[in-house]
Amino acid sequence: QADTDTDEASALASGRTRETQLVQRVGDIVSSQPGVAVEVRAAARVPIVTLTVTGLPFLSTEQAAARRRGQPSSGEGAVAIECDICVGHTLPQKNTALLRTYCAIDSRAKQLILAVKIWSKAAGVADSVNGTLASYSWSLLCVFFLQQCEPPVLPLLQSDALVGERWRSHELIDGCDTSFCGDAEEARATLSAH
């Protein structure tokens, strides 16, 4: 088995072609799984495979508590989870870490971002392939809104004052400076100074 994996990996081309082949291969492997819808966007600027897992059981907080107490729970629903997989790109990891830090500063950030993500998908305005904003862009708009409130709910994690040398990234990713303060407590403290 290990030899097959090594041979397969070495047979792949380099660069963009390799990324496209890997994304296509992941799509092919996962598409055979029941309850998983696969969309491969091999020709996108960043080759990506989107997985949508459907039919996962979903319990409300009350239903989960009842189940833990051994009581029957009714009304169990189903939820779909979407996951994007790309190869060779680290900027999405930085983006996720940035949003995770904002959500750790104030729980309202996570609530607003999730509500806007659900709304934007339902309204059909969260699909950059079709000329609307990407889901991440909607998240950044939520963050910006919460930074503009009076008093601000969120600080600017990329500000020089918060980044300093501790959080300074000395490498550019896709031409972007990805430096930001990754300490929610430290960032929260700057809000109390307002």
Side-chain angles (χ1 to χ4, degrees), residues 54-76:
T54 55
L56 297 172
F58 173 78
L59 297 176
S60 69
T61 306
E62 295 80 19
Q63 291 167 328
R67 187 175 274 186
R68 280 192 301 275
R69 291 189 304 267
Q71 300 169 339
S73 62
S74 61
E76 186 172 305

Side-chain angles (χ1 to χ4, degrees), residues 25 46 85 88 104 116 124 167 189 194:
R25 176 115 172 94
V46 174
I85 299 173
V116 170
W167 298 103
H194 279 88

Side-chain angles (χ1 to χ4, degrees), residues 117-146:
K117 279 187 172 205
I118 291 167
W119 165 80
S120 63
K121 284 187 181 277
V125 293
D127 187 3
S128 61
V129 172
N130 292 314
T132 62
L133 292 177
S135 178
Y136 182 69
S137 299
W138 284 107
S139 299
L140 292 180
L141 284 171
C142 293
V143 167
F144 179 74
F145 169 77
L146 294 172

Side-chain angles (χ1 to χ4, degrees), residues 5-16:
D5 293 340
T6 304
D7 292 342
E8 199 167 275
S10 63
L12 294 171
S14 62
R16 168 74 180 199

Side-chain angles (χ1 to χ4, degrees), residues 18 22 25 28 31 43 52 79-80 82 84 105 115 120 128 134 136 139 147 152 154 160 177 182 184 186-187 193-194:
R18 182 174 190 275
L22 286 170
R25 176 115 172 94
D28 292 344
S31 64
T52 305
V79 66
E82 247 182 47
D84 290 337
I105 293 169
S120 63
S128 61
Y136 182 69
S139 299
Q147 290 169 334
L154 296 176
D160 288 335
D177 178 2
E186 181 182 333
H194 279 88

Side-chain angles (χ1 to χ4, degrees), residues 146-160:
L146 294 172
Q147 290 169 334
Q148 301 306 306
C149 293
E150 197 53 52
V153 174
L154 296 176
L156 176 60
L157 292 178
Q158 298 97 331
S159 71
D160 288 335

